[in-house]
Amino acid sequence: MKFSESWLREWVNPAVNSEELAHQITMAGLEVDGVEAVAGEFTGVKVGQVVECAQHPDADKLRVTKVDVGAEELLDIVCGASNCRQGIKVAVATVGAVLPGDFKIKKAKLRGQPSHGMLCSFTELGIDVESDGIMELAEDAVLGTDFREFLGLDDVTIDVDLTANRADCLSIAGLAREVGVLNRAEVTEPQFEIVAPTAADTIAIDVKAPAACPRYLGRIVRNVNVQAETPLWMQEKLRRCGTRSIDPIVDITNYVLLEMGQPMHAFDLAKIDGGIVVRMAEQGEKLTLLDGNEAELNDNTLVIADNKQALAIAGIFGGEFSGVNTETKDVLLECAFFAPDAIRGRARSYGLHTDSSHRFERGVDATLQTKAMERATALIVEICGGEVAPIVEAESEADLPKAATIELRRTKLDRLLGHSIASEEVVEILTRLGCDVETIDAGWKATAPAWRFDMAIEEDLVEEVGRIFGYNNIPNQSPVAALSMNLHKEANLPLKRVRDLLVDRGYQEAITYSFVEPEQQKLIVPEIEPLILPFPISADMSAMRLSLWTGLLNTVVFNQKRQQPRVRLFEAGLRFVPEQSAENGMRQEMMLAGVIAGNRSDEHWDIATNTVDFFDLKGDLEAVLELTANEAAFSFKAAKHPALHPGQSAAIVVDGKEVGFIGTVHPELERKFGLNGRTIMFEIEWAAINSRMLPEAVVVSKFPANRRDIAVVVNEDVLAGDVVAACRENGGELLTDVNLFDVYTGKGVEEGNKSLAIALTLQSAERTLEEADIASAVEAIVAALAEKFGASLRD
């Protein structure tokens, strides 16, 4: 909003200069965009009167005048303005005057006639007003008065960029309140006499949309003179606020809008059929606006209508048909409160933005309408004359906004501001802001004034107290931060270490969406219903993933379609499992998954081209498990999974609990996903591998190790891993390593059996082992295998 400093100082006059005032307003949260002088720099210009005006003898477009500027002698001045005539009062630049642009006035002759000065237009004095000729001043202007003093041109306009919540400052009254609060200065409103009704005319008002228009005031003023001249003081105030003078009725409504913040509208009473009806528009209803454009109205738009047609878009723009023009004799003044929600967005939907809509959609004081109506009435009678009828009011008290009562706690105020302001000062600030304040045990209870729509919650009051106290007055306090060591456990296995390992083994990390296609996911995890998003990005991203495999398999397909013969990917991410007992009804688990497809190695002249198999991925996964330094605790048990090939899948087990799966993709799943060739994948819970056993220092034996190889025959259904585990369990303290180095079936081994060749390494840290020690340990292992698996030594 742009406003005149001198107009503001009529309401409140703090002891600060223009620069300090602008800085003060900015620091209060009302950012000043610019400060500009209202006129150019000039001197020597006085108020004068044209005493004589005659045609120049040698020029058709020039006039020879004698001008009285209150001096002993009249000034001879030649003027070319078409509106120059005898009797008018004008701005006269006398000899020696300096006009904007360092233009100096000297004695001269124009076509042989002496000219001792110049009659000035607005433009020549650097005043931004469109005019065709010289300025015409009011009849009561005192001759000889310095023109800068006469119009108060030692003034500036201050342009404030208000945020949407500060609609209360979209007026001189609102800004004066704000400046008064900041400076503890008294605000003095201009006084005017309420005009007593002299006519009995009234008009029926029917509000059919009370929620959108809780209060509507109308007043008839008859026999107004719309041809009257708007006083120059009013034109200047409007101009300095960025509003162009149009005619006295429109100028008065604009003046009240700028002064009080209450938009108003004037209708030509003769154009109204019956009474006023405030209603919602009919869909497709047409209205020609004041600018001549036709608007096709929507049914969510509030209109002011008569018994026949719509006359105006409520709170936004008047209609051309009912607008005041030069033929208007009687007017109907409108002053209403429209709910912000009923106006917000409507102007933009028609490509409009007006001063009225700008205020109504942000909020107008709901108690202001009667006062604004009386102010406008007094100005109309003063400037245009007329006979005033009583105010007709329609009100829905239930729909009027209610003042917010907010509790402000001392603890909250101190915590958010980081500074304790004296209780007496807090009460004073809130009171100066217009709040009714009550002291309570926890702090204060404040009722917001009607003009502050933005005061609704406790934080709003904290902001107001801090703003008025002055953020720059809050002392700087260096933050105190007590340093503490991170809660780092050496046993934690960093995810980065696992990532680095897999990258070193030729994998690339993938990051896939947590949202997947429900039908695809059902192929992988058919037994669990996923969480379906109510508003998904698309239909194929509508389910929260239950497994990382869905995204990884789609990524493999994506790469294979782009001629990538060898794909090795891994991903670490969350899966989302519905569970009633979990927080928010969903269990989020960190998972690690990997997938390989295509060739075992890149093409090379010295390496055979083989397709990956189950054991390639198992070896990579075992390398990850080795990072825990507890790989022996993990085992692979044959198990079925809906997504994996029945004979080529295993569960990953630790401490008797399944923590993941590994295996070849099921042929049916391969076909439905469009995979090209054999694909092997694993998925394991990150919680099962995110800790590692810490190394412990042990004595390095200086005595030799001894190796004994045994070949045991077991049933072919017996798992080799179980046999190796049994060796470890029964080898005693001397057994330091067990290694399966051969599996044999065929000649020499009965059908249905297999031979397992196992290397046993024995060593003592205290002595050299004797043959008896070694034999005893080996015999204990063989006996245990015979008992548990029915194993026998191979001949």
Side-chain angles (χ1 to χ4, degrees), residues 271 287-293 311-312 318-325:
K271 302 293 180 65
L287 174 64
T288 301
L289 304 175
L290 283 170
D291 60 3
N293 293 320
L311 303 177
E320 184 179 56
F321 172 74
S322 61
V324 174
N325 55 50

Side-chain angles (χ1 to χ4, degrees), residues 502 507 547-549 552 569-573 591-595 617 681-684:
L502 290 171
Y507 286 77
S547 168
L548 307 188
W549 281 348
L552 284 176
L569 300 171
F570 77 93
E571 180 176 9
M591 305 295 289
L592 177 69
V595 61
L617 185 62
M681 57 188 183
F682 80 85
E683 185 173 40
I684 186 170

Side-chain angles (χ1 to χ4, degrees), residues 3-9 16-18 21 155-158:
F3 69 92
S4 160
E5 182 187 355
S6 63
W7 193 3
L8 177 69
R9 288 185 184 274
V16 293
N17 59 32
S18 301
L21 178 63
D155 186 19
V156 294
T157 60
I158 301 176

Side-chain angles (χ1 to χ4, degrees), residues 20-21 303 499 514 557 590 630 656 759:
E20 291 169 338
L21 178 63
V303 297
R499 286 186 173 121
S514 298
V557 172
M590 188 70 174
N630 190 31

Side-chain angles (χ1 to χ4, degrees), residues 308-458:
K308 183 179 179 182
Q309 62 185 343
L311 303 177
I313 303 178
I316 298 175
F317 215 163
E320 184 179 56
F321 172 74
S322 61
V324 174
N325 55 50
T326 56
E327 305 299 322
T328 299
K329 297 294 183 185
D330 307 320
V331 298
L332 172 68
L333 286 179
E334 168 198 277
C335 190
F337 173 77
F338 299 115
D341 287 343
I343 305 300
R344 192 174 293 122
R346 307 303 191 275
R348 287 189 294 276
S349 68
Y350 300 110
L352 301 172
H353 183 268
T354 63
D355 289 336
S356 178
S357 68
H358 188 77
R359 285 162 175 79
F360 275 127
E361 64 189 9
R362 285 161 173 77
V364 170
D365 184 352
T367 66
L368 191 60
Q369 288 69 50
T370 301
K371 184 177 180 181
M373 178 68 85
E374 295 290 5
R375 177 65 164 152
T377 302
L379 290 170
I380 288 176
V381 171
E382 178 185 341
I383 297 169
C384 305
E387 301 163 8
V388 178
I391 296 174
V392 180
E393 180 176 0
E395 179 184 301
S396 173
E397 186 175 353
D399 294 303
L400 286 168
K402 305 297 186 292
T405 299
I406 311 159
E407 184 177 316
L408 175 60
R409 292 166 290 171
R410 160 60 76 180
T411 54
K412 186 70 169 282
L413 178 66
D414 293 349
R415 181 169 61 83
L416 292 186
L417 291 183
H419 178 65
S420 183
I421 301 173
S423 297
E424 296 78 9
E425 191 164 1
V426 173
V427 173
E428 183 198 4
I429 289 172
L430 293 175
T431 303
R432 283 191 282 133
L433 285 166
C435 297
D436 291 330
V437 185
E438 175 189 348
T439 301
I440 59 177
D441 292 341
W444 306 271
K445 187 179 289 185
T447 302
W451 59 82
R452 290 301 297 270
F453 276 70
D454 59 320
M455 286 189 187
I457 59 176
E458 187 175 18

Side-chain angles (χ1 to χ4, degrees), residues 516-525 530 544-547:
V516 297
E517 204 275 317
E519 294 304 318
Q520 273 193 345
Q521 179 156 262
K522 190 174 287 186
L523 297 173
I524 296 174
V525 189
M544 299 296 287
R545 66 185 178 191
L546 297 167
S547 168

Side-chain angles (χ1 to χ4, degrees), residues 447-503:
T447 302
W451 59 82
R452 290 301 297 270
F453 276 70
D454 59 320
M455 286 189 187
I457 59 176
E458 187 175 18
E459 285 76 7
D460 294 331
L461 293 184
V462 174
E463 179 186 2
E464 290 301 304
V465 172
R467 192 174 62 84
I468 302 304
F469 179 77
Y471 294 123
N472 53 328
N473 293 325
I474 296 176
N476 295 328
Q477 294 181 359
S478 300
V480 177
L483 298 179
S484 61
M485 296 295 292
N486 290 335
L487 296 176
H488 172 71
K489 294 182 179 179
E490 190 179 358
N492 290 343
L493 176 61
L495 179 58
K496 184 180 184 302
R497 178 67 186 93
V498 176
R499 286 186 173 121
D500 291 344
L501 173 72
L502 290 171
V503 168

